[in-house]
Structure formats: C-alpha cells, structure tokens
Amino acid sequence: MAPLNVLMVGTGEYTTGFVGGGASGSDKKVGVVGLTLFDLRRRGKVGKLSMVGTSGTKYPAIREHLQKNISGVYNGLDTSFESYPSDETSRDPESYKAAIDALSPGDAITIFTPDTTHYPIALYAIQRKIHVLITKPATKLLEHHQHLLEESRKHGVFVYIEHHKRYDPAYSDARAKAKTLGDFNYFYSYMSQPKFQLETFKAWAGKDSDISYYLNSHHVDICESMVPGYKPVRVTANGSKGTAEKLGCAAGTEDTISLLVNWVNRTDPNKQATGVYTASWTAPQKAGVHSNQYFHYMASDGEIRIDQAKRGYDVASDAAGQMQWFNPFYMRYAPDENGDFNGQTGYGYISFEKFVDAVNAVNDKSSTLDDLDRKGLPTLKNTLATAAILEGGRRSLDEGKPITIREEGGIWSLS
C-alpha cells in the first residue's frame, strides 16, 4: 500500500513554527505538524506532502526557515512540500479548495487554522472522501460537530480531533487509574499561556474564538475521556477581562475563563459530579513555564493530582535570567546520536502517528470507523460532550445564564 499523502492546512506556528517573519518565541520554534510529517515521510509512513495557507508570499521565508532550523539540524531532513496558493499570491482565503481538489480519495489533511474555519474546510474535504485531522476544538458549534460526524459516516472517512494531551504519559496513565477509583465526584483543572502569545493570536483572539475553546478544550476532553459513564447536563461560565484588551485584542476579549459543569451518571441520575475548568492566556511573561497545566480528579474511592508544568527538569541560564521548566515529553527537539530527529516518543508526535496509522487501517479495510471509536481515540463521536461544554460555555458568557445540555438518542442539544 502506498504511503499516505497529506495536505497541511494552515502555515502558522503549530505547523511551521514561523510567526511574524521568523521563528516563534514559544516552545514550538520549529513547529509540530510539519516536523512530525517530514519525519514520518522519512520513516516511510507518509508520502507526498503539501501545504496551504491564505498568503503565498510567505512561502520563500517559510522554506528558508524550515531549511535552516529543520534540515540544517536533523541530517538534511527533507522539508520539501507543494504549496498553495502560488508564491506570488498575496491573499486567497479560498485556496484550500484547490489544494484539497489536488488530492485523491483516501488521502488526508491536517487543519490548524482559526476555529471559525475548521467546519467549512473539514466539510469540503470530507465530501471529497479525504480523511481529516482537526486541531481542537473541532468546531465552535455543536451543530457543526454533529454535521461533520454525519457526513464522515456518509462518505466513509476518518475524522480525528488532535487532543494530544490524551497521549501525555502521566495523563494517559491517570485515565486508566481513574477506572479503578469508583464514582466520579470532582474535577478541577487549570491551563495557561504567557501574555506574549497574544501577539501571535490577536488577529483572532476574542473575535473568532476565546481562551476556553483554545485551552480548556484540553482538560474538558481529558475529563470526558476519564468518565465515559457520565454526561454533562449544565454549564455555567465566568470570565475576567482587562489585560488582553490592553495588549491589542478586541474589546471584550476574556483574559481567563472558568467553566462550572454539572455531570450526571448515565444509569443512575442520583450520582452527580462537578467539573471546574479554568484557562488563561494572560499568565506572567516569566513564569518559568510556557504552559501551567494541572488537574485534580476525585472519585468515591480515591483521587489523582497531576502537575505537568514542572516535571523535575529545570534549567537556569544567564541568557534567560531565570529558572525555566521544559517539557521534552511533548516535543523532543534534541537530535539522536546520528543527528536525526529523535522525538518519536513525544506525545505531540504520537498524536499524529495515531492518526496516520488509523487512516491507513481504514484505507486497507483492516479497521472500520466503529472500531476506531471503540478504541477510545479522540474521534468526532468520542468528543461530543466536549463540543457541547465548550459551546455551552461561550453561550453562558454571552447570555449571562447557565446553559442546559441534553443528549437523547445520541443527539446533543443546548438550551
């Protein structure tokens, strides 16, 4: 079977590490998507690679960036790709259509674009029998999430939501241990990024999406995957404001958003639980970590606490002028002893490899879409509660009231 051809939709920080004319200042200086797929091509798991953005004039600088920071670091790792639109095109927001049209049924795309664009891009690909990986959140609207699920089944393609925290070794182990601790009772999580990230995000922050969609999506999904016997029935959201606006974001942009979610046991409604999920993108510039991320899970027979900001690995340097805690478990950028990329065990990399392997299994008919749902992968079907909570939280903020979540016969709704 020929290696999988993949189109990368979106050319920004997460795909290439290229932001504002140079390497990102975050922990993704050479990106995640592109580097991972270039290495998977080296390993023979993917074939032809292409990339599409809204502006073609960026490509010469992106290619130079990739050549210097990936090929020049990892033994000449091939970073070639076909690009859309042309290098002479200053802007074409519809260019993804031509790029998808150049694919064949059974090929795949990855979507790392502003949240409001996920649905139309994914739908266009699905209807042409192209498999799809979407960054979280899959869509902003629950209705769109469910429509993509319906269309993916109709056209027989796999749609995977890139919830990479599921593959964090501590989080993955905690999900397994939670099954032995009795009935779900309480979940609290916090996740943040420093204020400078709003320089990268201010084109869409507070306009096309918010910090809850961007970061709370991680822990809401982790919680959903830990408690399959429970479903959310109500969400109430609260947000703080002031800092993001001063940094140039749209008026009304929330700095920090907390979601309070009521969960109910699917078979015994007398068993209820509470989830509190908080996310912020106005954390201090020199907190020592790019992302604080931790949670506390409590059940009837035990509890779990995880702090994945400080992992027993700290570095102090005069250049940084502070102590810093790094996360090589996410993306390991140090080369191996031969000079090749050595990050195949990072959970950022594993997430993409899981998608590629699943697509190949569907294409060679060794697995069905139902099989992949049963494996607990972050599929559209397995992330419906997360979609309901995230949109419900946004509506709660906008409408100033709790939002009721209903599920009947596998169909979810909000009111």
Side-chain angles (χ1 to χ4, degrees), residues 274-288:
T274 300
V276 183
Y277 315 91
T278 297
S280 177
W281 47 20
T282 56
Q285 303 281 33
K286 292 193 174 183

Side-chain angles (χ1 to χ4, degrees), residues 60-120:
I62 288 174
R63 287 190 171 92
E64 181 180 354
H65 160 74
L66 296 177
Q67 176 65 34
K68 175 184 176 182
N69 296 302
I70 294 181
S71 297
V73 173
Y74 302 115
N75 264 348
L77 180 62
D78 180 11
T79 59
S80 63
F81 60 92
E82 187 173 350
S83 57
Y84 301 83
S86 69
D87 290 6
E88 293 74 36
T89 303
S90 59
R91 182 166 175 79
D92 180 6
E94 300 287 297
S95 57
Y96 71 87
K97 294 181 179 178
I100 292 172
D101 288 343
L103 300 175
S104 300
D107 288 346
I109 68 169
T110 63
I111 301 175
F112 286 82
T113 59
D115 294 354
T116 51
T117 66
H118 295 178
Y119 172 68

Side-chain angles (χ1 to χ4, degrees), residues 330-350:
Y330 166 55
M331 284 294 288
R332 183 179 175 188
Y333 290 111
D336 67 11
E337 64 277 10
N338 296 315
D340 292 321
F341 177 67
N342 193 34
Q344 294 83 8
T345 58
Y347 60 84
Y349 187 107
I350 289 170

Side-chain angles (χ1 to χ4, degrees), residues 45-66:
K45 285 203 167 189
V46 302
K48 180 181 175 182
L49 294 176
S50 51
M51 195 179 296
V52 60
T54 58
S55 173
T57 55
K58 293 180 180 178
Y59 284 124
I62 288 174
R63 287 190 171 92
E64 181 180 354
H65 160 74
L66 296 177

Side-chain angles (χ1 to χ4, degrees), residues 115-129:
D115 294 354
T116 51
T117 66
H118 295 178
Y119 172 68
I121 295 172
L123 183 62
Y124 191 87
I126 289 167
Q127 292 177 338
R128 284 151 185 80
K129 300 187 183 303

Side-chain angles (χ1 to χ4, degrees), residues 335-412:
D336 67 11
E337 64 277 10
N338 296 315
D340 292 321
F341 177 67
N342 193 34
Q344 294 83 8
T345 58
Y347 60 84
Y349 187 107
I350 289 170
S351 182
F352 285 88
E353 189 166 10
K354 292 277 188 184
F355 170 69
V356 169
D357 289 344
V359 168
N360 285 332
V362 172
N363 283 344
D364 68 17
K365 296 183 170 50
S366 61
S367 287
T368 66
L369 299 179
D370 288 335
D371 291 335
L372 298 177
D373 284 334
R374 283 191 290 269
K375 288 182 177 181
L377 295 173
T379 64
L380 284 169
K381 184 177 180 180
N382 290 340
T383 55
L384 279 164
T386 295
I389 290 170
L390 292 174
E391 186 193 346
R394 184 67 255 169
R395 286 179 54 176
S396 177
L397 286 167
D398 294 340
E399 299 173 23
K401 66 175 186 179
I403 299 297
T404 298
I405 302 172
R406 292 186 174 85
E407 186 231 343
E408 295 179 5
I411 304 300
W412 294 72

Side-chain angles (χ1 to χ4, degrees), residues 204-223:
W204 56 264
K207 291 182 283 189
D208 292 333
S209 193
D210 61 38
I211 186 56
S212 186
Y213 278 113
Y214 181 61
L215 285 187
N216 269 334
S217 50
H218 281 296
H219 282 116
V220 172
D221 172 71
I222 290 297
C223 185

